[in-house]
Amino acid sequence: LDNGLGRTPPMGWNSWERFRCNVDCDNDPENCIGEKLYMQMADRMAADGYKDAGYEYVNVDDCWMAKERGPDGKLQADPKRFPSGMKALGDYIHSKGLKFGIYEDFGTQTCGGFPGSKFFMETDAQTFADWGVDLLKLDGCYSNIEDMTSGYPIMEFFLNKTGRPILYSCSWPAYFVAYKKIPDYKAIAKSCNIWRNYDDIQDSWDSVTEIVNYYAKNKGNFFEVAGPGSFNDPDMLIIGNFGLSRDQQRAQMAMWAIMAAPLLMSADLRKMDPYSKSILLNKDVIAINQDPMGQPGSIILDMNQIQIWFRPVMPKGSAAFAVLYTGSYGTPEKLSLKCETLGMVGPGGYNVTEVFDGRYVGMFKSADNINITVNPSGVFLGKAVYLGN
Ligand SMILES: OC[C@@H]1[C@H](O)[C@H](O)[C@@H](O)CN1C(=S)Nc1ccc(F)cc1
């Protein structure tokens, strides 16, 4: 969507994967969906280096609303859990130099059963603008997918009409895919800044590999339509939660960098393991994700359980490449790969560095072999700076 936003994949935090629809603030006040949670996450992002690293959106997800709309038909926050109201929450988030994201659903209800936007899209768009919202995630539960083809662009029209720049996150294609239909990615990229293509991420390595394998297929060529202002969204980062090993956390960060995916953390920033935090704050991996060309990577070799992905990045002719080993045959794989197999096909040489450890590997020509060791359910993420220009 050409609205000046999302020129690189958005970065920030979203409550859903880690905090879900926990509305029990009486018995679980520290973890329930309420203003305190988002204010504390905003505090952490500003104080612990996340904002400095580029993470700027604080996104409320499902279950923030009161069960009913107000008498004026306007959406209202649950008065017990968000006593100050959403405008005050937005103001607080803005006071930390961060951006405020919110969630609604295109249908009659949100997936969590709260009021949907159907028949209220103009009102809701204006309400969000009045609250100072900077991002809207529009989900697709309880709706007819036929209505989405016109409906998602209509909401984009109403958001634009408010005059407030609001990054538009669409779940539109994920619902087409769920109903075994091929989405019109050109139309989606025209109306949305980011779009969810596939099922929700869960807190497991299986979920991460299922999503990566889906993106490897790239059915309907959704990578081809992506670029500055329009990115594929493989869902949130689960780094820092319960389900991934150290190597698996590196692997998700590497693959989201190669795929030019939004970097939306969904972990408890109040209790971050230092290793997880070091992955999320790794500036070299973030630089790959935020590359100004905004060209998503793609899989260039798929041999059983070893996937090789390649993403062109600056400086001109350079690349990031990932060797992903999804197997669990307990010992590291030692590979000797021809550099041209890794996409390094330029006549000039390349300086190769392993990104996570910042280890310089050497200078290589395309006909050279490079020795790479990759751990089970792990990744080797390389940066190849082209020397040929
Ligand atoms: O309720 C909201 C929740 C999150 O926003 C996800 O990111 C969205 O993709 C949708 N969503 C959920 S749980 N969706 C959903 C997932 C499985 C299902 F059987 C029915 C609905």
Side-chain angles (χ1 to χ4, degrees):
L1 168 58
D2 193 12
N3 62 353
L5 301 173
R7 304 310 292 171
T8 61
M11 295 175 65
W13 184 88
N14 177 302
S15 52
W16 180 260
E17 199 289 323
R18 176 63 182 74
F19 295 96
R20 306 277 165 163
C21 193
N22 175 356
V23 293
D24 185 5
C25 290
D26 295 336
N27 298 312
D28 193 1
E30 290 310 303
N31 303 297
C32 64
I33 300 302
E35 62 185 36
K36 231 173 65 185
L37 181 72
Y38 298 95
M39 291 165 76
Q40 287 179 356
M41 293 307 160
D43 293 345
R44 298 277 47 85
M45 284 170 72
D48 299 355
Y50 296 98
K51 179 182 151 200
D52 299 338
Y55 295 93
E56 61 179 339
Y57 287 94
V58 182
N59 296 345
V60 176
D61 205 273
D62 205 346
C63 310
W64 62 270
M65 301 167 194
K67 271 294 178 190
E68 303 295 330
R69 288 174 176 270
D72 53 6
K74 286 187 184 174
L75 287 169
Q76 48 193 7
D78 181 277
K80 278 182 61 190
R81 297 183 284 116
F82 293 84
S84 315
M86 294 316 255
K87 169 106 182 58
L89 178 57
D91 291 347
Y92 186 84
I93 291 169
H94 290 145
S95 76
K96 294 285 173 179
L98 298 166
K99 293 198 164 87
F100 177 33
I102 205 160
Y103 165 100
E104 233 305 11
D105 187 289
F106 171 71
T108 54
Q109 288 185 331
T110 73
C111 304
F114 294 84
S117 214
K118 189 162 187 170
F119 308 125
F120 291 91
M121 287 204 281
E122 181 162 22
T123 305
D124 293 349
Q126 191 51 55
T127 302
F128 296 147
D130 296 344
W131 287 348
V133 161
D134 304 297
L135 175 150
L136 169 65
K137 169 173 172 180
L138 194 63
D139 202 351
C141 277
Y142 302 104
S143 65
N144 316 315
I145 58 166
E146 299 74 38
D147 296 342
M148 291 182 177
T149 306
S150 56
Y152 270 91
I154 288 171
M155 179 54 111
E156 185 240 326
F157 170 81
F158 287 135
L159 290 171
N160 183 276
K161 189 164 170 256
T162 68
R164 183 178 176 82
I166 297 176
L167 191 144
Y168 190 26
S169 164
C170 306
S171 300
W172 178 5
Y175 286 84
F176 267 64
V177 167
Y179 285 92
K180 310 253 181 296
K181 298 211 182 301
I182 293 273
D184 177 350
Y185 292 105
K186 276 199 179 60
I188 292 162
K190 191 168 169 293
S191 282
C192 307
N193 288 118
I194 60 174
W195 55 88
R196 279 277 309 282
N197 283 323
Y198 190 62
D199 293 348
D200 294 357
I201 198 163
Q202 305 303 336
D203 190 9
S204 74
W205 176 239
D206 280 356
S207 176
V208 171
T209 50
E210 193 185 324
I211 290 168
V212 169
N213 289 334
Y214 180 79
Y215 274 74
K217 290 193 196 76
N218 182 25
K219 279 191 293 187
N221 294 327
F222 46 77
F223 275 130
E224 278 63 15
V225 302
S230 300
F231 291 105
N232 294 283
D233 179 359
D235 214 350
M236 299 159 227
L237 292 173
I238 56 171
I239 295 159
N241 290 325
F242 313 99
L244 297 187
S245 71
R246 290 186 156 202
D247 280 284
Q248 292 163 358
Q249 291 180 73
R250 279 190 172 192
Q252 186 188 25
M253 191 72 181
M255 295 315 293
W256 266 234
I258 291 283
M259 293 192 286
L263 298 179
L264 296 172
M265 305 178 285
S266 191
D268 190 342
L269 304 180
R270 304 167 299 188
K271 307 176 196 160
M272 286 302 276
D273 166 86
Y275 188 84
S276 301
K277 192 175 166 193
S278 71
I279 291 173
L280 292 167
L281 295 183
N282 184 305
K283 60 180 180 15
D284 297 319
V285 185
I286 291 172
I288 293 168
N289 176 269
Q290 295 289 300
D291 182 77
M293 292 196 296
Q295 193 177 335
S298 55
I299 189 166
I300 54 175
L301 192 65
D302 192 353
M303 43 198 185
N304 75 320
Q305 303 194 313
I306 298 268
Q307 296 182 20
I308 298 178
W309 288 68
F310 173 89
R311 175 180 179 175
V313 296
M314 301 299 278
K316 194 171 170 328
S318 303
F321 64 90
V323 180
L324 176 71
Y325 178 26
T326 55
S328 50
Y329 189 68
T331 187
E333 276 287 309
K334 285 189 181 312
L335 303 163
S336 179
L337 298 165
K338 226 178 225 343
C339 287
E340 61 196 7
T341 313
L342 292 169
M344 292 185 256
V345 294
Y350 294 86
N351 267 336
V352 177
T353 302
E354 194 288 321
V355 178
F356 283 108
D357 299 321
R359 182 172 54 81
Y360 179 64
V361 179
M363 203 283 263
F364 297 87
K365 298 254 182 177
S366 58
D368 294 337
N369 273 23
I370 180 169
N371 293 329
I372 281 168
T373 299
V374 61
N375 293 341
S377 70
V379 74
F380 177 100
L381 179 64
K383 172 82 182 281
V385 178
Y386 190 50
L387 307 169
N389 297 324

